[in-house]
Amino acid sequence: MMRWNNGYRNADGWKKIREKLEDTKWLVCIVFAMVAVSRLLVYLNFLIWSGRNSFDGGFFDALSIYDTAWYKSIIGDGYWTEPRWGDQGDSANWAFFPFYPLLMKGIHVILPFDYDLLAFAVNSVFFAFALVLAVKYILLTREDWVHALVFVFLMAFGVYNFYFSLLYTEAPFLFFVAAFFYCMERKQYLWMGAAGAFASGTRNLGIMLVFPLAAHYLTEYFGSNRFRLKTFFGNFFGNVRLVLGTVLIPFGFFSYMLHLYFRVGDSMAFVHIERAWGKGDLTNPFRVLWNSLVNVDSFVFYLSLWGVWGIYCAWLLLCSKRWAEFVMAFLVVMIPLAASVIGVPRYLIGCFVPLLGFTDGMGRWRKSQIFALCVFSFVLGEICLWGWFDSAAFVM
């Protein structure tokens, strides 16, 4: 198992931090404090940006752009029976999965605040608990608290961190994926299945969690058995909790398909409607990536660099033989790339495992390099946040 070699491990002060990280109560307090500070920085950035740009709207007016309107349409009107929006009137809200808007609508009944304010609070809580689970997972699989701290810093203060407090699905999806991997590693298969069901009801990529589970089972099986057909299937079907957990994963996904079938007559409407955004037809992801890489005078070049980064992260996980994590990282970069580079950065950052692979690779770095990367990620995060306030295309 690769461990970080950073020179901090034996210092008395850092030993105390490690002890606090291993105590769940202290871990929750530390992570929530970091998330609170990072959310405060988002607001302070808004104050500076709005002053320099003479913006006469409020904080949530600046944050609530792009897809937030689609989620509000689902919360307010449910799923439409026909397309309404877009330049050609050919866009509908079917592309957005139901769990998150249903959750927000339910919370709004209890706490009837503005949806943007409510999302900022709810998603920040989802984000914080996702990072708590990420730390516990890293300590469980890497046994390295410095690694865990760097991961949390890059998530809370690094690039695209503001997405985890918008009326978007990044924060809940991150939480469910982190919960899935943590429960899978601890063999809590029913909880794992529940997390997978919520993930597949939150975003279409959630159903792909069946593949890292398959990789996990294969790793466990071949780690202690020679292949025999009887034991291969017998070990799986003999574990009732594992079977039920597996069956639960696609529940959210298939429930939405069933709803679309009765609502609009097309269970795959969430795929077909993507054509309104020019992303309906899947193609070779490497061709999409290459076409964007050579387009150096456009913002898609920047987005394509994130695709390269995602492939690199998957490669690191492959090299370290973390098969389940590799499978998920590979899928989460290749499936979006098969349609477009648009949105690839937030898909990668919001899916837990790609950054986990990247921080694995940082284990060989010098302390000065790790510090420089944290500073770079923070600065790029500030640039992207201002780009969001400016409604820039490169942060979509």
Side-chain angles (χ1 to χ4, degrees), residues 8-144:
Y8 290 131
R9 199 174 311 281
N10 296 321
D12 290 338
W14 290 98
K15 284 182 178 179
K16 293 180 180 179
I17 294 177
R18 179 185 62 195
E19 291 172 358
K20 293 186 184 303
L21 284 176
E22 292 172 348
D23 185 318
T24 300
K25 293 180 181 178
W26 274 104
L27 173 60
V28 169
C29 291
I30 292 170
V31 171
F32 267 74
M34 293 178 71
V35 169
V37 171
S38 70
R39 301 311 88 176
L40 178 61
L41 284 174
V42 173
Y43 181 67
L44 292 177
N45 270 277
F46 164 75
L47 293 179
I48 298 170
W49 172 85
S50 61
R52 293 188 61 176
N53 291 275
S54 301
F55 183 70
D56 58 1
F59 177 52
F60 295 114
D61 294 320
L63 283 181
S64 183
I65 60 175
Y66 293 132
D67 289 348
T68 57
W70 289 108
Y71 287 110
K72 288 177 182 177
S73 74
I74 300 169
I75 293 169
D77 303 326
Y79 287 99
W80 304 336
T81 56
E82 58 185 16
R84 300 181 188 176
W85 289 358
D87 295 336
Q88 308 297 324
D90 58 350
S91 301
N93 55 12
W94 309 327
F96 304 90
F97 273 51
F99 173 75
Y100 180 63
L102 284 174
L103 174 67
M104 294 303 298
K105 188 169 185 176
I107 294 175
H108 186 263
V109 172
I110 303 170
L111 301 171
F113 297 107
D114 177 80
Y115 278 113
D116 294 312
L117 170 61
L118 204 58
F120 192 84
V122 171
N123 283 13
S124 295
V125 172
F126 263 120
F127 184 39
F129 276 117
L131 296 185
V132 169
L133 285 172
V135 171
K136 294 177 79 68
Y137 182 77
I138 291 171
L139 294 179
L140 184 64
T141 58
R142 275 80 171 169
E143 299 178 354
D144 198 298

Side-chain angles (χ1 to χ4, degrees), residues 2 25 39 43 51 59 76 100 133-134 151 158 176 192 230 236 238 251 273 299 303 376 384:
M2 185 180 71
K25 293 180 181 178
R39 301 311 88 176
Y43 181 67
F59 177 52
Y100 180 63
L133 285 172
F151 181 91
F176 292 132
M192 175 206 72
K230 183 178 180 180
F236 176 80
F251 180 80
I273 199 62
F299 73 94
L303 298 178
F376 172 78
C384 289

Side-chain angles (χ1 to χ4, degrees), residues 60-260:
F60 295 114
D61 294 320
L63 283 181
S64 183
I65 60 175
Y66 293 132
D67 289 348
T68 57
W70 289 108
Y71 287 110
K72 288 177 182 177
S73 74
I74 300 169
I75 293 169
D77 303 326
Y79 287 99
W80 304 336
T81 56
E82 58 185 16
R84 300 181 188 176
W85 289 358
D87 295 336
Q88 308 297 324
D90 58 350
S91 301
N93 55 12
W94 309 327
F96 304 90
F97 273 51
F99 173 75
Y100 180 63
L102 284 174
L103 174 67
M104 294 303 298
K105 188 169 185 176
I107 294 175
H108 186 263
V109 172
I110 303 170
L111 301 171
F113 297 107
D114 177 80
Y115 278 113
D116 294 312
L117 170 61
L118 204 58
F120 192 84
V122 171
N123 283 13
S124 295
V125 172
F126 263 120
F127 184 39
F129 276 117
L131 296 185
V132 169
L133 285 172
V135 171
K136 294 177 79 68
Y137 182 77
I138 291 171
L139 294 179
L140 184 64
T141 58
R142 275 80 171 169
E143 299 178 354
D144 198 298
W145 50 273
V146 180
H147 184 171
L149 280 177
V150 171
F151 181 91
V152 170
F153 179 88
L154 291 175
M155 289 295 295
F157 296 98
V159 62
Y160 291 100
N161 72 81
F162 60 89
Y163 261 108
F164 298 105
S165 291
L166 304 176
L167 190 63
Y168 270 58
T169 58
E170 265 63 26
F173 189 71
L174 176 71
F175 172 79
F176 292 132
V177 173
F180 177 90
F181 274 89
Y182 179 68
C183 293
M184 181 176 69
E185 189 66 27
R186 297 193 64 188
K187 295 181 172 56
Q188 297 174 326
Y189 294 125
L190 289 180
W191 285 111
M192 175 206 72
F198 286 124
S200 71
T202 301
R203 190 177 284 179
N204 57 3
L205 283 171
I207 197 173
M208 295 300 154
L209 288 168
V210 296
F211 295 103
L213 175 58
H216 171 79
Y217 177 73
L218 291 172
T219 303
E220 292 276 308
Y221 177 82
F222 287 109
S224 56
N225 297 276
R226 294 181 60 185
F227 178 75
R228 291 177 181 171
L229 194 63
K230 183 178 180 180
T231 58
F232 182 80
F233 290 103
N235 288 0
F236 176 80
F237 288 106
N239 189 331
V240 176
R241 292 176 182 269
L242 177 57
V243 173
L244 290 176
T246 304
V247 171
L248 276 174
I249 295 171
F251 180 80
F253 187 91
F254 290 145
S255 296
Y256 182 45
M257 289 180 66
L258 186 63
H259 176 75
L260 286 176

Side-chain angles (χ1 to χ4, degrees), residues 345-392:
R346 65 184 179 91
Y347 296 149
L348 294 174
I349 293 297
C351 198
F352 177 56
V353 285
L355 182 61
L356 191 59
F358 185 70
T359 51
D360 276 350
M362 290 170 63
R364 300 186 180 93
W365 293 17
R366 296 191 299 271
K367 287 178 286 185
S368 59
Q369 293 174 312
I370 296 172
F371 178 78
L373 184 278
C374 289
V375 171
F376 172 78
S377 182
F378 176 80
V379 172
L380 183 56
E382 298 293 287
I383 293 171
C384 289
L385 176 57
W386 280 52
W388 182 264
F389 290 146
D390 289 328
S391 299

